[in-house]
Amino acid sequence: MNQLKRKITDMKNTVIEFTDFSFTYRTQQEPTLRGINLSIRQGEKVLIVGPSGCGKSTLAHCINGLVPFYYPGESKGSLRIAGQTPGERSIAALSQAVGTVLQDPDGQFVGLTVGEDIAFVLENGAVSPAEMNERVTAAADAVGIGELLLASPQELSGGQKQKTMLAGVLAGNVDILLFDEPLASLDPYTGTKTIELIHRLQQETGKTVIIIEHRLEEVLHRAVDRIIVMNDGAIVADLPPAELLSSRLLGEAGLREPLYLTALRYAGVTVTPEMRPEHLELLQMEGTAGPLQRWMDGRGKQQESAAAEPLLELKEISFGYDEKAEVLHRLSLTVNRGEMLAIAGRNGAGKSTVSKLICGFYKPASGSIWLNGRDISRDSIRERAERIGFVMQNPNHMISKTLLYDEVAFGLKLRGVPEERIRERVYNVLKICGLHEFREWPVSVLSYGQKKRVTIASILVLEPEIIILDEPTAGQDYRHYNEMMEFLQGLGSRGITVIMITHDMHLMLEYAQRTVVLADGKKLADDRPERILTDRSIVEKANLRETSLYTLALKAGLRKPEELVRTFIAYDRGVRRG
Amino acid sequence: MRARMLTFTRQDSPVHSLSGAAKLICFIVWSLSAMITYDTRCLIVMLLVSLAVFRISKVKFADYAFVLYFILIFFLLNHLAIFLFSPLEGTQVYGTRHDLFHLGGRYTVTAEQVFYQFNIALKYAVVIPMALLFLLATDPSEFAASLNRIGVNYKIAYSVSLALRYIPDIQRDYENISFSAQARGIDLSRREKLSQRLKNIVSILLPLILSSIERIEKISTAMELRGFGSGRKRTWYTGRPFSLSDYIAMGLLLSLAAATLIVTFYDGSRFYSIF
């Protein structure tokens, strides 16, 4: 009887309900969502994960009304949101119930000040100026940016931008908060803070929170009620975190579980829900320290890398975009031949500026840049490009031809290389990049990750000694991340030096041989990544996060805790390559 | 070098602190009266006023120098064209003829023509600084609010303001794209032949257009999700009610315009003649 009662109240409080729901975009043949059954109750906090193309974004679009109003298509089954059928309403009507925080806050600032941006939803609802002021102030205070109402977006840090977006949604008094990859453009530390903020707001207001994200470990920094795993347009798991993490479902869907759990499994520990695997702080460690220590000792010591031969040297570089603010201050930096180097640091620390100076896009105010023992400070952009290739973060900023072959051949054509030689070199590069089968295709039909590889190919074909990549894996899921990085590592073994600008900690830890951390235009650290990510003072200053492997090692009381990180990385790479 | 042209910078000046709607109304009244009158006396007074206002506004020359040069070129072309197509326009307008010297064919320089073109130059000099000032000293979103206030549909008003607002972003995109293009060997400098250079510029434009479309797509979904375009009316967070200084500014402008019209039409013709 009691149970029946509970079931009825549950049904009453269901705010989102998909029943046998399928959806096909008008431009596509195959359904993107199929047979979705999902109900989310008032006040729940739900995480939706899945690889790229699994349909998780489409699911989000169904909830906020972009499907079918902005992206038309055909749906089957039923969907009810806050007691209404969205297909019969409008995006605007739905925005009264569902507030969406999209990824990349940079591209969606509508207002010229923080206050104005927060007010946007109220302006559109024709709320009176007096009430609007009150609600904007309240929303800004709730996320802790009350003093920034007059600031312009350029003055904000990534975290503050994210908070503005969140306040903009809160101002609308919606019941459901939907976060579409909220961590995508944030550094690890800011990401953690965002997760904490979302959690606190949910606790205080009792709103329903839905987070779509593939950075599972970071979202789990604060408890969620359920995790929904999607793959290939369908829901493959709908479980509480402890149960999901004890199963193998994540791996089967091509997702990455938290690293500390993988380490436990490698050490032969069976993960069970009773161990509280959903958070490292809650994790029951009984009987795990022994296997971990034995596993680590059994793998032997990892060798140090070979002797270094300097290839590129920055000597005492200073630079500022205008006279008032110096971005880099007497920075010295050495890149060795054939190594993979990561440059990290919080937003605005000067990471991208360093790469632009190396390529000659800007000239340093003082200091010099040396390549192969020769001062290249006076070389033009084009002369440097013969030796140093630069791949921008957004592939759409680089692609200027409609056909893949033409795009990759472009640089060689401009250099007047004869046609047969071009063909040979382009085909060679396309093979290396795994793009050979697409050589006759237009670029526009390729996926984001493939486009990224096209841009890398178009640089590689020029046979540079050094290739600099700005956030090479941004916006890619685990499988694509893996492919991309294994590919870049392959370049390393061909003798090409790779410099990556990134704040992706996994990337640093797993692939970089060395990490240089910049802070306030100076070099803060220059060391092996596992040492950097286990050093609390550096981690803090660079907005990084201590790797959970190290926290696990400390918690288990292992001898030489840093060693666990290195052992894990080496072993894990072996496993992933099969 | 950070290219920043015609973008709004926040500054503390009497001009900046006027509300957007007041500035727009002043600007329209100003331009209309400058367009109507050919009265040299009025134009000279207006020119002095505009220079004074410019002085008060504290706008830096570097912020608009490039655009000013650009306008100057068109200004000269325009004057050349007037003379080429209608060398005796001044004589017709003023009804007298004082030849200064003969150039050949139908081209004779008359004192009337010189005076006529001098008046046109004055009109430019009166309107252009105000137009620049309006752009430089008006917050784009306030501009949108003010357009809406004088009766323009808010969707149109907003698209104007967004366009203004995204100028710096698109400039930054252009800079990045052209850097990476140069690194691949695309030469945009004068060393390249003109035909090749044009081709090279086209190959930069494609990524620029694509990334701008990406931007537009992103912002328009974000706006829709926040309820933009749902109602017939909307309110404005930045739309300030008129303050005393707004009324004073508009009052001054309207009386100036009235005075101009009275002086201009007092003798029954738009054209003030010294002949």
Side-chain angles (χ1 to χ4, degrees):
Chain A
M1 186 66 197
N2 249 346
Q3 254 194 338
L4 188 70
K5 221 176 187 176
R6 233 184 87 199
K7 211 169 177 191
I8 290 170
T9 41
D10 275 1
M11 270 167 63
K12 237 185 200 165
N13 291 338
T14 298
V15 286
I16 295 173
E17 182 143 48
F18 288 86
T19 320
D20 295 324
F21 186 86
S22 301
F23 179 79
T24 313
Y25 285 105
R26 189 176 285 167
T27 49
Q28 273 166 14
Q29 305 270 311
E30 294 288 307
T32 304
L33 294 178
R34 40 185 135 210
I36 302 286
N37 282 299
L38 172 65
S39 62
I40 296 173
R41 289 185 304 278
Q42 170 73 40
E44 253 193 311
K45 187 176 175 197
V46 177
L47 169 62
I48 302 178
V49 294
S52 308
C54 71
K56 59 184 192 300
S57 299
T58 307
L59 192 75
H61 291 164
C62 290
I63 297 173
N64 62 28
L66 285 179
V67 163
F69 298 106
Y70 197 86
Y71 302 110
E74 200 183 317
S75 56
K76 285 200 197 98
S78 85
L79 166 60
R80 292 183 72 74
I81 290 166
Q84 299 160 355
T85 307
E88 295 162 3
R89 308 294 303 272
S90 64
I91 297 186
L94 270 171
S95 75
Q96 311 277 329
V98 184
T100 314
V101 177
L102 297 164
Q103 55 173 302
D104 181 24
D106 260 327
Q108 23 165 328
F109 246 94
V110 201
L112 216 74
T113 61
V114 169
E116 202 194 333
D117 202 79
I118 298 173
F120 191 67
V121 71
L122 303 175
E123 292 180 325
N124 295 326
V127 172
S128 73
E131 190 192 338
M132 180 148 51
N133 254 315
E134 214 167 277
R135 281 167 73 175
V136 167
T137 316
D141 286 339
V143 300
I145 50 168
E147 73 286 3
L148 290 172
L149 282 179
L150 288 176
S152 75
Q154 290 90 352
E155 299 164 28
L156 303 181
S157 69
Q160 288 166 338
K161 282 179 192 161
Q162 192 79 340
K163 285 180 182 169
T164 308
M165 295 295 129
L166 188 49
V169 169
L170 287 177
N173 279 347
V174 289
D175 287 328
I176 304 168
L177 299 179
L178 176 65
F179 295 87
D180 192 356
E181 307 215 10
L183 305 180
S185 55
L186 301 181
D187 58 50
Y189 172 80
T190 313
T192 310
K193 288 289 157 208
T194 303
I195 293 298
E196 287 172 11
L197 175 64
I198 294 173
H199 190 71
R200 180 169 64 75
L201 286 172
Q202 197 242 358
Q203 297 281 306
E204 285 171 6
T205 60
K207 291 185 195 295
T208 311
V209 169
I210 302 165
I211 303 173
I212 295 178
E213 182 57 69
H214 59 237
R215 284 156 72 173
L216 184 66
E217 188 175 330
E218 291 181 66
V219 178
L220 289 181
H221 175 64
R222 284 289 178 268
V224 302
D225 296 320
R226 268 193 294 158
I227 303 178
I228 287 148
V229 183
M230 290 190 68
N231 200 4
D232 218 5
I235 291 179
V236 294
D238 178 353
L239 291 169
E243 282 174 43
L244 179 72
L245 293 173
S246 312
S247 73
R248 294 277 176 172
L249 287 162
L250 282 174
E252 281 161 20
L255 295 165
R256 171 164 242 187
E257 63 185 359
L259 292 186
Y260 61 89
L261 291 180
T262 317
L264 286 177
R265 287 194 215 274
Y266 285 162
V269 177
T270 313
V271 180
T272 60
E274 291 71 42
M275 287 170 68
R276 311 292 305 273
E278 68 271 25
H279 199 290
L280 194 45
E281 269 170 34
L282 302 172
L283 187 69
Q284 299 300 309
M285 296 296 291
E286 272 158 62
T288 57
L292 271 175
Q293 187 75 56
R294 276 196 297 282
W295 176 68
M296 196 172 95
D297 294 342
R299 310 291 320 160
K301 199 164 158 40
Q302 305 302 318
Q303 74 242 25
E304 294 289 331
S305 51
E309 178 200 343
L311 175 62
L312 178 74
E313 287 169 279
L314 272 62
K315 294 183 180 167
E316 305 257 303
I317 294 282
S318 294
F319 176 76
Y321 288 101
D322 53 53
E323 287 132 33
K324 278 174 244 158
E326 208 171 45
V327 181
L328 296 176
H329 182 71
R330 299 170 73 90
L331 175 75
S332 293
L333 181 69
T334 307
V335 184
N336 298 319
R337 187 181 295 280
E339 82 173 331
M340 281 182 101
L341 174 77
I343 299 181
R346 62 172 77 183
N347 289 342
K351 303 184 300 254
S352 299
T353 308
V354 169
S355 61
K356 286 179 176 163
L357 289 170
I358 295 175
C359 295
F361 299 162
Y362 299 112
K363 300 272 177 218
S366 66
S368 57
I369 300 175
W370 297 68
L371 183 68
N372 276 326
R374 191 176 71 82
D375 187 353
I376 58 164
S377 304
R378 291 173 160 278
D379 289 8
S380 68
I381 296 179
R382 191 169 167 173
E383 281 161 338
R384 294 189 202 196
E386 302 291 328
R387 307 288 192 70
I388 306 167
F390 180 58
V391 180
M392 303 196 341
Q393 182 178 343
N394 183 348
N396 292 338
H397 279 172
M398 292 182 71
I399 293 170
S400 56
K401 297 280 170 195
T402 44
L403 289 176
L404 195 154
Y405 177 87
D406 293 345
E407 178 62 30
V408 178
F410 194 36
L412 291 177
K413 281 208 177 107
L414 287 166
R415 282 167 174 75
V417 177
E419 190 58 44
E420 325 72 270
R421 276 291 291 145
I422 292 183
R423 187 160 293 270
E424 194 187 316
R425 275 168 74 172
V426 170
Y427 280 0
N428 245 330
V429 162
L430 290 181
K431 274 180 202 145
I432 296 173
C433 299
L435 292 166
H436 194 67
E437 51 183 314
F438 306 118
R439 61 194 180 278
E440 310 288 340
W441 289 30
V443 183
S444 55
V445 300
L446 300 178
S447 73
Y448 184 86
Q450 286 166 332
K451 278 188 191 166
K452 186 102 188 177
R453 255 187 290 164
V454 171
T455 59
I456 295 176
S458 66
I459 295 299
L460 276 183
V461 80
L462 305 174
E463 296 173 354
E465 289 176 64
I466 302 177
I467 182 162
I468 305 176
L469 301 113
D470 196 354
E471 292 290 357
T473 55
Q476 299 185 39
D477 66 8
Y478 182 49
R479 191 169 65 85
H480 293 105
Y481 159 85
N482 237 337
E483 278 177 18
M484 173 62 68
M485 290 316 299
E486 286 297 324
F487 163 66
L488 288 177
Q489 187 145 50
L491 295 182
S493 61
R494 284 165 189 268
I496 297 174
T497 307
V498 180
I499 303 176
M500 302 170 292
I501 295 162
T502 185
H503 49 226
D504 183 335
M505 302 203 335
H506 288 155
L507 186 158
M508 238 178 270
L509 206 49
E510 292 172 335
Y511 289 96
Q513 287 148 11
R514 197 155 61 90
T515 296
V516 170
V517 180
L518 299 182
D520 304 322
K522 292 185 199 120
K523 192 160 75 179
L524 180 67
D526 180 350
D527 207 335
R528 293 195 55 88
E530 62 271 17
R531 284 202 203 111
I532 284 181
L533 293 176
T534 53
D535 183 327
R536 287 199 170 144
S537 76
I538 298 174
V539 159
E540 218 164 86
K541 282 183 199 136
N543 270 12
L544 296 167
R545 213 162 47 93
E546 185 177 272
T547 164
S548 66
L549 290 169
Y550 185 63
T551 323
L552 175 75
L554 289 181
K555 198 172 175 182
L558 301 187
R559 292 185 300 275
K560 292 198 233 155
E562 319 80 44
E563 203 58 33
L564 178 71
V565 183
R566 298 188 65 179
T567 311
F568 175 86
I569 298 302
Y571 184 77
D572 185 57
R573 185 172 297 151
V575 171
R576 275 184 288 152
R577 285 188 187 146
Chain B
M1 190 192 73
R2 300 255 112 169
R4 279 174 49 88
M5 301 178 329
L6 277 194
T7 44
F8 167 71
T9 35
R10 205 169 290 282
Q11 237 161 30
D12 187 27
S13 86
V15 180
H16 285 74
S17 65
L18 290 179
S19 83
K23 265 182 281 200
L24 184 63
I25 291 170
C26 288
F27 174 62
I28 290 172
V29 170
W30 178 269
S31 315
L32 278 178
S33 36
M35 269 179 235
I36 290 168
T37 187
Y38 272 86
D39 193 305
T40 320
R41 297 162 301 182
C42 295
L43 286 171
I44 286 175
V45 171
M46 286 175 86
L47 179 64
L48 292 176
V49 171
S50 83
L51 289 177
V53 173
F54 229 81
R55 193 65 197 266
I56 297 171
S57 75
K58 299 184 197 162
V59 171
K60 285 196 218 69
F61 180 68
D63 287 347
Y64 58 90
F66 178 79
V67 185
L68 192 64
Y69 294 137
F70 203 71
I71 293 174
L72 269 179
I73 292 173
F74 276 93
F75 173 75
L76 289 175
L77 281 178
N78 186 346
H79 270 274
L80 207 63
I82 293 178
F83 185 69
L84 280 179
F85 289 109
S86 185
L88 295 176
E89 185 71 28
T91 338
Q92 279 172 23
V93 164
Y94 299 110
T96 54
R97 178 166 181 157
H98 300 82
D99 286 7
L100 295 179
F101 51 90
H102 184 70
L103 286 175
R106 64 191 191 103
Y107 295 106
T108 303
V109 179
T110 63
E112 283 80 3
Q113 184 73 7
V114 171
F115 186 62
Y116 171 72
Q117 293 209 354
F118 170 69
N119 278 318
I120 289 183
L122 268 181
K123 283 154 88 82
Y124 269 93
V126 166
V127 175
I128 289 167
M130 281 306 197
L132 289 177
L133 188 59
F134 179 69
L135 284 175
L136 290 167
T138 309
D139 182 331
S141 42
E142 248 207 283
F143 176 60
S146 53
L147 276 179
N148 182 235
R149 195 156 177 162
I150 61 164
V152 177
N153 180 310
Y154 78 85
K155 288 179 198 169
I156 296 170
Y158 226 92
S159 48
V160 172
S161 103
L162 271 186
L164 286 175
R165 199 162 115 25
Y166 275 92
I167 290 174
D169 285 359
I170 291 174
Q171 281 173 349
R172 204 172 323 126
D173 277 355
Y174 173 79
E175 198 181 54
N176 281 330
I177 291 168
S178 83
F179 278 152
S180 95
Q182 286 175 56
R184 286 171 73 186
I186 298 173
D187 199 343
L188 298 170
S189 65
R190 294 207 174 91
R191 277 177 296 179
E192 198 68 73
K193 273 185 306 204
L194 187 66
S195 59
Q196 187 59 41
R197 229 165 97 199
L198 284 177
K199 259 194 206 159
N200 290 348
I201 287 175
V202 169
S203 59
I204 286 195
L205 283 184
L206 184 71
L208 186 66
I209 291 168
L210 285 181
S211 65
S212 303
I213 290 176
E214 214 176 303
R215 237 176 230 297
I216 293 166
E217 162 109 19
K218 210 182 265 172
I219 191 96
S220 58
T221 47
M223 285 171 72
E224 286 225 17
L225 281 175
R226 295 165 77 182
F228 184 77
S230 54
R232 295 255 321 273
K233 279 217 170 96
R234 91 199 283 276
T235 46
W236 301 84
Y237 181 71
T238 41
R240 288 172 284 170
F242 286 131
S243 66
L244 184 63
S245 56
D246 290 327
Y247 284 117
I248 294 175
M250 284 189 293
L252 283 175
L253 243 290
L254 283 172
S255 32
L256 186 76
T260 310
L261 291 185
I262 291 169
V263 173
T264 307
F265 289 108
Y266 188 70
D267 49 6
S269 157
R270 282 168 73 196
F271 299 97
Y272 166 75
S273 174
I274 50 170
F275 304 105

